[in-house]
Amino acid sequence: MQHRRRWCRLRREADGRVALTLRDFGPGVSDEQLQRLSEPFYRTDSARVRATGGVGLGLYLCRLVAQAHGGELRLRRAEPGLEASALLVSG
């Protein structure tokens, strides 16, 4: 069964940064995979092929955009699923 539930949240952090957080409730990733998710061309499922979607650049590009705006990308296991937060400098 596929899980398609997810949410998005925008909030101001105590340090003044703005956090855009996305959460899904899918099968998640292992600790080892989590460490590599924002590497270019990294894909958690080696069985995936281009025809099924993705080349492994999405989270890498998210990290680069966040850094270009003085921020950072944080990823964490959410049990179930994954949570990704882009923390950006406000104003």
Side-chain angles (χ1 to χ4, degrees):
M1 179 200 296
Q2 290 186 343
H3 302 278
R4 298 201 183 268
R5 198 174 109 200
R6 52 191 157 272
W7 56 254
C8 177
R9 176 179 62 213
L10 182 66
R11 70 178 181 175
R12 183 171 303 277
E13 298 289 303
D15 63 5
R17 294 187 294 178
V18 173
L20 173 62
T21 302
L22 304 166
R23 164 85 192 273
D24 74 32
F25 294 83
V29 296
S30 69
D31 285 333
E32 181 181 322
Q33 291 170 328
L34 182 66
Q35 300 303 314
R36 300 191 60 204
L37 280 181
S38 63
E39 292 178 8
F41 303 108
Y42 179 75
R43 300 173 80 180
T44 59
D45 185 356
S46 60
R48 289 185 66 167
V49 294
R50 192 171 292 180
T52 60
V55 294
L57 288 174
L59 290 173
Y60 169 68
L61 293 173
C62 288
R63 180 172 54 93
L64 291 180
V65 169
Q67 290 173 340
H69 290 277
E72 64 180 298
L73 178 68
R74 289 187 184 165
L75 303 171
R76 76 172 190 90
R77 294 176 61 210
E79 302 294 333
L82 180 70
E83 187 174 288
S85 296
L87 287 93
L88 304 170
V89 176
S90 176

